[in-house]
Amino acid sequence: MTMMTSLFNKSNKSFDLERNLVRTVSKEQLASVDQKILTSQEIISDYIDWDSLQSFEDFSKKNEVRFLPGDFCLQLSEKTILKLRNEGRIDLSEVDKIGWFGKEKHNERWSSFKTLNNFVAIEIKSSIEHLEICNFSQFKRNIINVAETDALKGGLGISYFYEKKEYENFLSKIIWRENQWRISSEDLEPEFSIPILLQLVLFQSNRDSKFFIEISKSIDKEYQNYFLLLNEVLSISLNYFSTRSFQGKNHYLGVLIKGFREKKVDTKQLQSEVDNFILELDEMRFVHNEGVIYNPKRRLSKIVNDFINLSDIGTEKLKESLDSSTKNYSITVYFLLGMMHLYSRTQKQFYIKSLIHYIVSVTSHKISDIEFGDNYISLIFSIPVNESVWNTQFKFIKEHFDMIKEIKGFTSNTAELKRRYKERKDQLNPELKGYEKEIESIKKDIKNQKIKKIGLEEDLNLIIDDIIAIQNEKHAIKKSSSLDSKEHYASFKSEFIKTQNWRKFQKDFNALLKNQFKEFINNLEQDKDIQGFKASELEKNNTGAFYLKNLKNKEYIIDLCIENWKNKNQKPELAKDIKPHSKESKDTDQNLSKAEFEHKEFVEFEHKELGTIHKVSFSDKEMIEKCEKDTMWIRNN
């Protein structure tokens, strides 16, 4: 009989039953309690929220008391608690652990306190050596913070986006038994199954190294050390990306090296693997600092190096770069990139809202334990009876999970039936005609299996069909609301010729949209009434399209329209030597003396509508006669 081993039964955290935990009162009740405790180095009974009192073990296992990231917590013995209740105060030196609940809040507020109270912080550290200053969320089982969730979902999202088939294959190998996923150890291999399993395990907060050494014994010996080292890379990277932004290749590699140097292992062989990996990371850091290309040989070093090479790409260009790359990256490289760029920044770019991604990420949040035996590994889910919302989600996921497995099963069955059919067909001879009926039956089974598969795929694609329908509807609305460019142009021209309203034409023309402007140019080129229009005179932008906002282009087109369309309705032009004369000149001429006027060598004509004055030489009798016949001109002398 195989002995089942549980992750949480093998936790490396020891819980002293005599130790208890409390938190301080809220800020609404008493402001800056945490600062007062640290500065004065004493705790007063009124500072404590006594309703939060519980054993440290209950705190780690249960969620009966709801904690917020900014809650300031204390761990102390029952004896010390009794003294605090009776005497009303204790010294900070009587406390075992202090700190804020949330990891980010703890780092932020302890760092701020040290900055503002440096000497006090040094005194606390030096005088109370046994006091541990830490965040308390790390002691909660199956709880991860928002930053870790954002990083993990980002990693899962991008790796799923590029390796969807492998995630489906992984899920199809899982046996779902009530509240657990069980996978055979024989199905775990280094390229996909082991990385995916470790990704799922990362969604719960307990990452005990000793436990993973035990669980590795259920895996093929060839992959045991790889399993342990990859788990360490993912755990260190998750902590790095969820607590700080990426600070460069050198810094990240330094964090990995430091993490592996602090790692304690049980066997000399594994220690040798760790030492060799540290040497490779150190060499990788040196090479990248020198700007030289590094070509590692080991699988794990290649994963880290590929990630390092891609780490310079910004989030906005990440998908474009990965799509255009011809290199086949490991599923773990995609996962590290996703953790680095976070789900909140990548979800729209990669559109990672797939059903399978939903199944994996939601169920991963509910992993409460892991069990393993000689030939299997099980992920155990926590399904509280009173959480109806989760029960509904769980049922939905279970149904679709079964559907995915069924589709994969149909594919596998179909391949098997085809293989059998081919074998039997090859064996047929005159003496084996009796097998023809069986072959026909197999063909029929294949057909039925395909029909069932198509039906199941159609169910899964309902969401996609809805999206396509919405897009088609959007396109139809856009198409029905657009103007016909030729009618729009004809309306412009008709209104312009009829009224010759230049200001209205110019206002309407300037309001043309970009696509209407392009069609307007096209219609101008084809209009036989417009003479001399040259599209080549227009300036274009960098893409080669006509520049809509260019004032020079608009003035050129408007002037050309004025010149061509207006001239159709104007009277015959005067001779070239008839020059316009302004009203100012006319006024000046009227101030001349009679004698000066009689000796003029020209005749003046005034246009009735335009009001302009023109001069015609006395010697040009033909032009004088022509102007006198034209009813639009008045002789002034």
Side-chain angles (χ1 to χ4, degrees), residues 572-582 602-607 612-628 630 633-634:
E573 294 181 355
L574 298 176
K576 292 182 179 178
D577 59 340
I578 301 180
K579 300 179 180 178
H581 192 53
S582 66
F602 57 86
V603 179
E604 290 184 343
F605 288 92
E606 181 179 357
H607 196 280
T612 56
I613 305 298
H614 297 265
K615 298 177 182 179
V616 181
S617 172
F618 274 123
S619 61
D620 194 344
K621 303 296 184 182
E622 182 179 350
M623 182 54 66
I624 292 174
E625 182 180 355
K626 181 179 180 181
C627 290
E628 287 178 339
D630 194 333
W633 294 95
I634 306 171

Side-chain angles (χ1 to χ4, degrees), residues 82-99:
L82 185 61
K83 178 181 177 181
L84 179 59
R85 281 184 179 276
N86 293 335
E87 299 181 9
R89 66 168 298 282
I90 59 172
D91 290 332
L92 185 60
S93 60
E94 299 177 74
V95 178
D96 297 323
K97 291 183 178 70
I98 60 167

Side-chain angles (χ1 to χ4, degrees), residues 376-467:
Y376 71 88
I377 297 171
S378 291
L379 306 180
I380 313 298
F381 304 121
S382 172
I383 314 176
V385 178
N386 59 344
E387 288 193 16
S388 57
V389 175
W390 165 243
N391 289 333
T392 302
Q393 284 181 330
F394 198 81
K395 182 179 179 182
F396 169 80
I397 291 171
K398 177 69 167 61
E399 290 174 352
H400 284 272
F401 183 91
D402 290 341
M403 193 177 295
I404 292 166
K405 286 180 64 68
E406 195 169 356
I407 289 174
K408 286 292 179 182
F410 286 151
T411 303
S412 178
N413 290 341
T414 300
E416 176 62 20
L417 290 171
K418 286 182 178 180
R419 185 188 64 78
R420 287 169 53 195
Y421 168 73
K422 187 177 183 304
E423 287 180 355
R424 293 184 181 277
K425 183 177 179 181
D426 293 341
Q427 293 172 1
L428 279 180
N429 54 52
E431 290 77 28
L432 299 174
K433 289 293 184 182
Y435 287 106
E436 288 182 348
K437 290 183 178 180
E438 185 177 352
I439 292 173
E440 291 300 321
S441 174
I442 293 172
K443 287 182 178 179
K444 187 176 180 180
D445 287 343
I446 293 174
K447 184 177 180 180
N448 291 336
Q449 296 284 10
K450 285 183 177 179
I451 293 172
K452 289 181 181 179
K453 179 184 176 184
I454 291 172
L456 290 169
E457 288 177 339
E458 288 176 349
D459 291 341
L460 289 174
N461 289 332
L462 283 177
I463 296 175
I464 296 175
D465 292 339
D466 290 342
I467 293 173

Side-chain angles (χ1 to χ4, degrees), residues 13 58 126 155 258 322 371 377 383 497 506 508-509 512 611:
K13 296 183 177 68
D58 283 347
S126 59
K258 182 175 182 288
L322 293 177
E371 294 178 348
I377 297 171
I383 314 176
I497 295 174
Q506 188 169 1
D508 292 345
F509 178 78
L512 282 176

Side-chain angles (χ1 to χ4, degrees), residues 97-110:
K97 291 183 178 70
I98 60 167
W100 293 265
F101 179 76
K103 185 173 184 178
E104 292 80 8
K105 284 291 183 183
H106 175 84
N107 293 339
E108 172 192 330
R109 294 190 179 180
W110 176 240

Side-chain angles (χ1 to χ4, degrees), residues 266-392:
D266 293 346
T267 65
K268 291 182 179 180
Q269 182 185 4
L270 182 56
Q271 185 62 58
S272 176
E273 291 279 345
V274 171
D275 292 341
N276 289 334
F277 186 53
I278 291 173
L279 289 175
E280 285 189 89
L281 291 176
D282 214 10
E283 183 180 356
M284 193 184 302
R285 179 169 60 172
F286 173 78
V287 170
H288 280 289
N289 282 341
E290 296 296 321
V292 183
I293 297 175
Y294 183 67
N295 294 310
K297 296 180 180 179
R298 287 164 38 120
R299 179 188 289 112
L300 192 56
S301 300
K302 184 175 182 297
I303 288 172
V304 175
N305 190 62
D306 283 345
F307 166 71
I308 287 295
N309 288 333
L310 295 169
S311 62
D312 289 336
I313 303 172
T315 304
E316 68 283 353
K317 294 185 178 180
L318 182 60
K319 184 176 183 299
E320 179 185 346
S321 299
L322 293 177
D323 288 347
S324 60
S325 176
T326 57
K327 189 170 183 178
N328 293 322
Y329 293 110
S330 162
I331 193 171
T332 304
V333 173
Y334 293 125
F335 192 80
L336 290 171
L337 281 171
M339 286 203 296
M340 173 186 169
H341 289 277
L342 306 178
Y343 176 80
S344 56
R345 300 206 310 258
T346 58
Q347 59 172 324
K348 291 183 179 179
Q349 186 179 163
F350 289 90
Y351 193 65
I352 43 184
K353 293 184 178 179
S354 165
L355 178 62
I356 306 253
H357 175 262
Y358 175 79
I359 289 174
V360 174
S361 61
V362 172
T363 49
S364 297
H365 276 290
K366 290 293 179 178
I367 295 175
S368 61
D369 201 350
I370 302 174
E371 294 178 348
F372 59 92
D374 293 337
N375 58 358
Y376 71 88
I377 297 171
S378 291
L379 306 180
I380 313 298
F381 304 121
S382 172
I383 314 176
V385 178
N386 59 344
E387 288 193 16
S388 57
V389 175
W390 165 243
N391 289 333
T392 302

